[in-house]
Amino acid sequence: MPDPLLRIEDLRTHFFTPEGVVKSVDGVDLTVTPGRTLAVLGESGCGKSVTARSILKIVDRPGRLVSGRMLWTRPDGSIADLASLPPTGPAIRAIRGREIAMIFQEPMTSLGPITSIGDQISETILLHHPISKAEAKSRTIAMLRRVGIPDPEARIAAYPFQLSGGMRQRAMIALALCCAPRLLIADEPTTALDVTTQANILDLMRALQAEDGMAMLFITHDLGVVAEIADEVAVMYLGRVVEQASVDAIFHAPRHPYTRALLRSIPRPGSRARLEAIRGSIPHPLARPAGCAFAPRCDQAIPGLCDTTPPDAYPTEAGSVRCHLHA
Amino acid sequence: MSATIAEPRLVLAGQWTLFWWKFRRHRVAVAGLGVILALYLVAAFAEFLAPFPPDLPNTRYTYAPPQALHLFMDGAFAPHVLGYKVQIDPVAMRRVFVENPAERIPVRFLAEGPAYDMWGLFPMRTHLIGVDRPGQPLFLLGADRLGRDLLSRVLYATRVSLSIGLVGVTISLSLGVLLGGLSGYFGGAIDTIIQRLIELVRSIPTIPLWMGMAAAVPTSWPPLRTYFIITLIISLIGWTSLAREVRGKFLVLRHEDFITAARLDGLSDLAIIYQHMVPSFLSHIIAAVTLAIPGMILAETALSFLGIGLQPPIVSWGVLLQESQNIRAVASAPWLLFAPGAAVVTAVLALNFLGDGLRDAADPYA
Amino acid sequence: MTLLDVQGLKVHFPIQSGLLRRTTGHVRAVDGVSFAIQPGETLSLVGESGCGKTTTGRAILRILDPTAGTITYRQADNTTVDLASIDRAALRPYRRDIRMIFQDPHASLNPRLTVLEIIGQSLRVNQGLRGTALEDRVADLLRKVGLRPEYLRRYPHAFSGGERQRIGIARALALHPRLVVADEAVSALDVSVQAQTLNLLQDLQEEFRLTYLFIAHDLSVVEHISDRVAVMYAGRIVELAPTDALFATPRHPYTEALLSAVPIADPRLRGSRTRIRLQGEVADPARLPTGCAFHPRCRYADALCRAETPVLAETEAGHIAACHHASTLELRGITA
């Protein structure tokens, strides 16, 4: 195993709302390896997006990083704990965008509406590199071409609203990758796209990763997308990683009852058998069950244990699983 | 299936309960609400709260400065003010009031004083505070050029100024909801005509318009009629923003899924408006109305200050400010400016804070 | 006996511009759609955003007025009526028979009303139910969709997305409908809740002999729930076939591309599938290309495709496709 690029240990990000403390991320451990893709899989409210935003310290109020460590390996080999950096200080700003970039589900959140896409990319390049404007422009055109935007010399002047959803997503990827980051965080980047566009964007991201060797942290709720893009998978449920393993192990030898149930609940091609749904629904974050959060919906839950004691993470052949059944 | 939110308090809370919970978190707005309630109570009971009628002159005490209220006498609780000795300043050649420690005028609670008709209906003599004998000075906020008690005048003016806000907003609201609703619900040509009308009204500079219309009000009219005409003039502008608000809400709501669902359920257009649309924007309208009142109050104040709004003997904050606008008052009787000015600022700020809080709470589902 | 027969349905929206709001063109959102729904079946309309599937569903419910075409509905007493041409006021009896499930479980429930008021609305208006009679009916409906009858007086915000969708389903079922138009009914739901909802829809179909027009973009969900599938592209149906035939042996190149783009939840298949990647953008319904609307993105297109618009033609029994080369192309489907 190569040295990790990013190691997250016991990350906790809580939201202090008038109704109570919402523990969106409550003890997450993750390891991102250089050049590989870690998919964070989970349903709404599991904390996958908050985890991603915590890494870049862009959690919105009333959210706050409560504890944990996020050890990031700088290009010079030194290690920085992102958790300890002030969210608006120069240290995190040097890393944000330059070393770790992020793309979102809705491109309009990161593309400014009143500046052409070319200018936005050029400005970002100039912000981090001491080069001339002309050189930045030619790099911008090259970047737009790399992400598959046709006729980049002309499109450099286009505004985001003039592009289709897929092209906008490509422009956002170009913006994120223009400084050759070592880690790209992608938060549901294809969820809002049509299936044929999604396929093209996934192809593009895979190809760019192969060329640049960057690592990816890919946040999604879609098992199909995970199977297409991930090397490693972390399954999250209610603020914790319940299982982490290689993508093959997740799909073919899942350990956690939640992972298994999730896989059984999706329609399979060619099969029209009745789906095995997970009973109940995801608990409200303010009414988090004691013990294992999945216990109330788990068929294998052990009364007196699973509903009282939160399980530790136990090692497996391919990773780890947070379940009493695997103690 | 388990309920997602365990608290029964929250699951059974209707929109107004949620509205109140959200509003309550807005501290400044809650304070604003308190101030506004207090001001309207003052307006309602002005006769009782004021020690004197607003037009009772006391020629011995013209331009008397405010007296300090002493609460204790010889260690016992006995609120009193000190009488005034009048001296002539030989240099400035004018009268000055000097406190006379020998003359202690007790301030009585629930004192019998000048007779008045409560709300014009019940003859009464009891005032919240008063003095023993008629003619004794009690000028907690000072006196004006006729020796009338400024406190009493400000209290009476509160009634006029605040009610102009309410009446004006009511007229604006009726016009705004009617025209905005027509515009938003029917759309098409009706919408276009009403929108152009709104733009036309809004493009007219307000001060000259008010001045022109107010100048056309004959001075021979009785004060009450002038009061209503002025209110009407002010609300002729105010309705446009409310109409836009209502129209916008109609347009947004028309395309909501739950409105479509109601139509598929077989509800008539009228039933959809009353059962779904109006409840959905009622809270927004309340917020918009609250934010419109200060505009009305300021408009009245401005008109009266310019001398073209309400006229004496009606007392409003604007009338009081108008009376203080001479060099003598500013130089030697600044309280004539401060007291009504402070009242206007307090009321407008409190209404704005309240309106902001209401606006934030207006969509408790956000 | 066909339950609903849609013929040549068109929904065009005028494009207006300028101060005088002059009509300068038309968005052909739905441009000549024909299909028939048999009682008890589930017919799915699939396609990407902007293909007109939602507009088709809304036109059938007359939320939108069709520009042209007929929508022939066969009532329980066997008489037929054209829903496209009758007056809005006369629609009421048919709106009891044809109901809708919305996509967004948040926007489709009025947050200011209780569950009782939401589900009971149609019963109150159409059957005049009041008081305990209404409460009993709504409680019964809640049980049917797997919610506790005690939830009657709760407000929508007290429920999760999946539970809200159940409330929406109960509302659709209240009047014993014969046809339910489900517009992306499970798209907004979490994976684990989506399975529950699909199962519920299937159970209810069996119990009440419902017919579904299922509008969706997720092909794996469509494959799971449908008897027949119609694929739409740029306002038209390009292929309609029984589910198994459509997925195994597609006859239209667009269907082939769509199937090939579906991510499959098995990492071991990652390298094994040949992928077809569509170039360019979905056709703009305001400026449709000449000939076949799909030809600019089609890898099999030739001069004929650019010149002439293909019509739907039967390739096998019950399998129709609108492609000049439907009978000669060897297209790849998804095999289990």
Side-chain angles (χ1 to χ4, degrees), chain B residues 56-107:
Chain B
L56 182 74
N58 194 339
T59 42
R60 276 190 63 195
Y61 297 101
T62 55
Y63 291 120
Q67 290 161 298
L69 181 67
H70 301 267
L71 288 179
F72 296 96
M73 181 159 58
D74 307 328
F77 181 70
H80 63 276
V81 292
L82 297 177
Y84 277 128
K85 273 197 299 207
V86 179
Q87 293 174 346
I88 305 293
D89 182 341
V91 183
M93 283 308 283
R94 61 172 190 192
R95 299 196 305 165
V96 286
F97 291 89
V98 179
E99 281 193 336
N100 177 6
E103 189 190 0
R104 285 177 173 163
I105 302 166
V107 176

XYZ file of all heavy atoms in Angstrom, chain B residues 56-107:
417
model
N -55.005 72.218 26.247
C -55.226 73.030 27.441
C -54.035 73.982 27.635
O -52.940 73.544 27.941
C -55.365 72.120 28.660
C -55.648 72.845 29.976
C -57.087 73.334 30.018
C -55.337 71.945 31.158
N -54.248 75.276 27.425
C -53.113 76.193 27.542
C -52.876 76.578 29.001
O -53.775 76.492 29.835
C -53.555 77.390 26.701
C -55.053 77.333 26.725
C -55.482 75.948 27.036
N -51.669 76.966 29.307
C -51.326 77.468 30.630
C -50.343 78.613 30.418
O -49.137 78.408 30.338
C -50.703 76.357 31.465
C -50.638 76.721 32.924
O -50.686 77.915 33.271
N -50.538 75.724 33.784
N -50.884 79.814 30.243
C -50.080 80.932 29.742
C -48.940 81.326 30.670
O -47.984 81.948 30.237
C -50.974 82.156 29.500
O -51.896 82.257 30.590
C -51.731 82.013 28.198
N -49.011 80.920 31.954
C -47.906 81.247 32.860
C -46.645 80.478 32.470
O -45.539 80.863 32.803
C -48.277 80.880 34.295
C -49.086 81.943 35.026
C -49.193 81.586 36.484
N -47.895 81.564 37.147
C -47.681 81.017 38.340
N -48.673 80.399 38.947
N -46.503 81.062 38.901
N -46.843 79.351 31.809
C -45.698 78.453 31.598
C -45.389 78.248 30.118
O -45.078 77.151 29.697
C -45.962 77.100 32.270
C -46.100 77.214 33.752
C -47.350 77.208 34.361
C -44.959 77.333 34.552
C -47.478 77.326 35.725
C -45.081 77.462 35.924
C -46.349 77.455 36.505
O -46.459 77.566 37.853
N -45.481 79.276 29.296
C -45.116 79.083 27.885
C -43.627 78.766 27.780
O -42.802 79.369 28.455
C -45.418 80.351 27.070
O -44.755 81.419 27.694
C -46.897 80.612 26.988
N -43.333 77.769 26.956
C -41.952 77.290 26.760
C -41.283 76.846 28.054
O -40.067 76.975 28.206
C -41.088 78.340 26.063
C -41.475 78.554 24.613
C -41.897 79.798 24.166
C -41.417 77.491 23.710
C -42.257 79.999 22.843
C -41.782 77.687 22.385
C -42.210 78.936 21.953
O -42.556 79.110 20.654
N -42.073 76.293 28.975
C -41.454 75.767 30.193
C -40.663 74.513 29.857
O -41.160 73.648 29.123
C -42.539 75.450 31.221
N -39.431 74.391 30.368
C -38.636 73.193 30.071
C -39.164 71.982 30.849
O -39.937 72.149 31.791
C -37.236 73.578 30.527
C -37.419 74.654 31.517
C -38.694 75.372 31.182
N -38.717 70.779 30.477
C -39.180 69.573 31.176
C -38.781 69.601 32.640
O -37.695 70.070 32.990
C -38.452 68.435 30.444
C -38.059 69.002 29.137
C -37.846 70.467 29.348
N -39.666 69.102 33.478
C -39.364 69.017 34.893
C -38.829 67.626 35.206
O -39.233 66.650 34.579
C -40.647 69.237 35.708
C -41.166 70.647 35.661
C -42.614 70.691 36.077
O -43.461 70.091 35.435
N -42.892 71.405 37.157
N -37.935 67.575 36.211
C -37.465 66.256 36.650
C -38.486 65.684 37.610
O -39.053 66.408 38.440
C -36.111 66.397 37.338
N -38.715 64.385 37.497
C -39.663 63.723 38.387
C -38.895 63.196 39.593
O -38.014 62.353 39.441
C -40.371 62.590 37.657
C -41.415 61.812 38.445
C -42.608 62.700 38.761
C -41.877 60.591 37.676
N -39.190 63.727 40.774
C -38.545 63.227 42.000
C -39.447 62.176 42.611
O -40.644 62.397 42.759
C -38.332 64.371 42.989
C -37.481 65.476 42.448
N -36.117 65.539 42.623
C -37.795 66.548 41.676
C -35.632 66.611 42.001
N -36.642 67.241 41.407
N -38.845 61.053 42.928
C -39.678 59.951 43.403
C -39.806 59.939 44.919
O -40.802 59.473 45.458
C -39.106 58.612 42.921
C -39.265 58.329 41.425
C -38.638 57.002 41.071
C -40.729 58.347 41.020
N -38.768 60.452 45.601
C -38.789 60.342 47.072
C -38.759 61.709 47.724
O -38.130 62.632 47.221
C -37.597 59.512 47.564
C -37.646 58.095 47.081
C -36.955 57.711 45.946
C -38.419 57.152 47.767
C -37.014 56.414 45.499
C -38.466 55.851 47.314
C -37.767 55.479 46.180
N -39.443 61.794 48.823
C -39.401 63.020 49.621
C -39.153 62.609 51.063
O -39.905 61.793 51.607
C -40.722 63.776 49.501
C -40.750 65.064 50.284
S -42.027 66.144 49.638
C -43.462 65.124 49.813
N -38.079 63.088 51.648
C -37.712 62.778 53.026
C -37.673 61.268 53.256
O -38.165 60.756 54.258
C -38.695 63.429 54.017
C -38.829 64.911 53.749
O -37.814 65.506 53.292
O -39.934 65.445 53.951
N -37.124 60.544 52.294
C -36.958 59.094 52.455
C -38.215 58.290 52.198
O -38.170 57.076 52.171
N -39.326 58.925 51.980
C -40.548 58.167 51.713
C -40.920 58.303 50.237
O -40.569 59.299 49.589
C -41.687 58.688 52.585
N -41.634 57.287 49.712
C -42.027 57.342 48.319
C -43.127 58.370 48.154
O -44.233 58.211 48.678
C -42.498 55.968 47.854
C -42.900 55.951 46.405
C -41.938 56.088 45.412
C -44.235 55.838 46.039
C -42.308 56.076 44.085
C -44.609 55.837 44.713
C -43.630 55.952 43.724
N -42.816 59.464 47.483
C -43.813 60.511 47.252
C -43.425 61.263 45.997
O -42.692 62.244 46.044
C -43.874 61.461 48.449
N -43.835 60.760 44.844
C -43.421 61.397 43.601
C -43.885 62.843 43.521
O -45.035 63.142 43.881
C -44.079 60.530 42.519
C -45.113 59.732 43.223
C -44.726 59.608 44.633
N -42.979 63.692 43.116
C -43.346 65.108 43.020
C -42.450 65.801 42.010
O -41.394 65.279 41.629
C -43.206 65.791 44.376
C -41.783 65.798 44.878
N -41.248 64.724 45.561
C -40.805 66.731 44.774
C -39.983 65.009 45.861
N -39.686 66.206 45.393
N -42.889 66.943 41.563
C -42.034 67.813 40.747
C -41.896 69.135 41.484
O -42.658 69.431 42.405
C -42.627 68.039 39.337
C -42.591 66.769 38.529
C -44.015 68.611 39.423
N -40.905 69.912 41.072
C -40.699 71.208 41.716
C -41.345 72.296 40.883
O -41.349 72.220 39.653
C -39.199 71.489 41.862
C -38.434 70.510 42.759
C -36.961 70.837 42.773
C -39.012 70.489 44.169
N -41.912 73.277 41.553
C -42.547 74.396 40.858
C -41.507 75.296 40.205
O -40.302 75.146 40.399
N -41.974 76.197 39.378
C -41.071 77.099 38.657
C -41.218 78.514 39.174
O -42.334 78.984 39.436
C -41.398 77.086 37.159
C -40.767 75.937 36.411
C -41.542 75.116 35.602
C -39.391 75.710 36.508
C -40.964 74.078 34.896
C -38.821 74.668 35.812
C -39.589 73.852 35.004
O -39.028 72.848 34.316
N -40.096 79.203 39.318
C -40.107 80.651 39.505
C -39.718 81.264 38.176
O -38.817 80.758 37.512
C -39.102 81.077 40.577
C -39.684 81.030 41.977
C -38.843 81.823 42.963
C -37.436 81.247 43.040
N -36.769 81.487 44.338
N -40.417 82.305 37.780
C -40.090 82.941 36.506
C -39.178 84.133 36.775
O -39.471 84.968 37.630
C -41.361 83.389 35.782
C -41.002 84.062 34.462
C -42.285 82.211 35.559
N -38.066 84.188 36.101
C -37.160 85.331 36.225
C -36.918 85.892 34.841
O -37.092 85.211 33.839
C -35.820 84.889 36.836
C -35.952 84.454 38.278
C -34.655 83.888 38.815
O -33.745 83.586 38.052
N -34.585 83.757 40.129
N -36.519 87.127 34.800
C -36.180 87.742 33.520
C -34.670 87.790 33.405
O -33.981 88.283 34.282
C -36.747 89.164 33.399
C -38.254 89.174 33.629
C -36.395 89.765 32.037
C -39.069 88.461 32.565
N -34.169 87.212 32.340
C -32.729 87.262 32.071
C -32.426 88.660 31.524
O -32.878 88.987 30.421
C -32.372 86.186 31.061
C -30.880 86.145 30.784
O -30.201 87.133 31.069
O -30.410 85.101 30.270
N -31.692 89.498 32.284
C -31.512 90.891 31.853
C -30.676 91.008 30.586
O -30.810 91.980 29.850
C -30.806 91.551 33.045
C -30.224 90.422 33.822
C -31.013 89.190 33.530
N -29.814 90.035 30.341
C -28.958 90.136 29.154
C -29.728 89.758 27.900
O -29.818 90.495 26.935
C -27.714 89.230 29.306
C -26.795 89.392 28.115
C -26.999 89.540 30.605
N -30.351 88.518 27.954
C -31.052 88.053 26.765
C -32.441 88.671 26.657
O -33.097 88.532 25.622
C -31.166 86.534 26.797
N -32.851 89.332 27.688
C -34.165 89.935 27.720
C -35.255 88.914 27.440
O -36.078 89.049 26.547
C -34.264 91.113 26.724
C -33.606 92.384 27.204
S -34.177 92.863 28.840
C -35.785 93.536 28.404
N -35.199 87.789 28.210
C -36.286 86.829 28.044
C -36.530 86.129 29.370
O -35.693 86.188 30.284
C -35.969 85.834 26.945
C -34.732 85.023 27.248
C -34.527 83.921 26.260
N -33.465 83.057 26.783
C -32.877 82.139 26.077
N -33.192 81.973 24.814
N -31.948 81.384 26.619
N -37.669 85.394 29.400
C -38.045 84.737 30.642
C -37.273 83.434 30.787
O -37.081 82.703 29.811
C -39.537 84.426 30.625
C -40.400 85.685 30.500
C -41.811 85.400 30.870
N -42.385 84.286 30.109
C -43.505 83.668 30.451
N -44.143 84.033 31.546
N -43.979 82.686 29.739
N -36.794 83.188 32.002
C -36.206 81.885 32.275
C -36.938 81.268 33.453
O -37.423 81.974 34.334
C -34.691 81.957 32.576
C -33.903 82.226 31.312
C -34.399 82.984 33.639
N -37.062 79.911 33.411
C -37.733 79.185 34.487
C -36.683 78.628 35.426
O -35.752 77.957 34.986
C -38.587 78.050 33.913
C -39.780 78.555 33.151
C -39.687 78.841 31.791
C -40.985 78.749 33.806
C -40.790 79.296 31.096
C -42.096 79.214 33.106
C -42.005 79.489 31.746
N -36.819 78.939 36.723
C -35.889 78.420 37.716
C -36.682 77.535 38.677
O -37.770 77.896 39.125
C -35.226 79.582 38.482
C -34.284 79.041 39.540
C -34.486 80.483 37.524
N -36.131 76.364 38.950
C -36.823 75.456 39.867
C -36.912 76.071 41.243
O -35.956 76.673 41.741
C -36.070 74.126 39.951
C -36.354 73.225 38.756
C -35.867 71.807 38.992
O -34.960 71.626 39.821
O -36.392 70.899 38.330
N -38.060 75.908 41.847
C -38.287 76.465 43.167
C -38.367 75.308 44.157
O -39.400 74.641 44.260
C -39.596 77.255 43.139
C -39.923 77.810 44.517
O -39.125 77.708 45.457
N -41.111 78.394 44.622
N -37.251 75.056 44.902
C -37.234 73.880 45.789
C -38.297 73.964 46.864
O -38.688 72.949 47.431
C -35.839 73.920 46.399
C -35.060 74.882 45.559
C -36.025 75.858 44.984
N -38.772 75.140 47.136
C -39.762 75.272 48.203
C -41.135 74.784 47.756
O -41.951 74.357 48.556
C -39.864 76.733 48.636
N -41.354 74.861 46.458
C -42.684 74.485 45.991
C -42.678 73.067 45.448
O -42.204 72.799 44.355
C -43.150 75.460 44.895
C -44.609 75.237 44.537
C -45.017 76.016 43.295
O -44.177 76.719 42.733
O -46.176 75.867 42.902
N -43.152 72.182 46.268
C -43.209 70.782 45.844
C -44.623 70.475 45.407
O -45.578 70.619 46.186
C -42.801 69.867 46.985
C -41.304 69.890 47.229
C -40.964 69.036 48.409
N -39.512 68.932 48.521
C -38.904 68.526 49.624
N -39.604 68.172 50.675
N -37.583 68.456 49.660
N -44.714 70.023 44.139
C -46.041 69.717 43.607
C -46.162 68.190 43.545
O -45.485 67.537 42.753
C -46.237 70.317 42.203
C -46.036 71.835 42.292
C -47.596 69.957 41.633
C -45.871 72.495 40.963
N -46.992 67.609 44.406
C -47.111 66.148 44.385
C -47.767 65.664 43.094
O -48.670 66.320 42.568
C -48.002 65.841 45.594
C -48.518 67.135 46.078
C -47.898 68.258 45.335
N -47.230 64.538 42.604
C -47.813 63.915 41.410
C -48.664 62.758 41.890
O -48.176 61.860 42.571
C -46.710 63.434 40.459
C -47.311 62.693 39.271
C -45.877 64.610 39.991
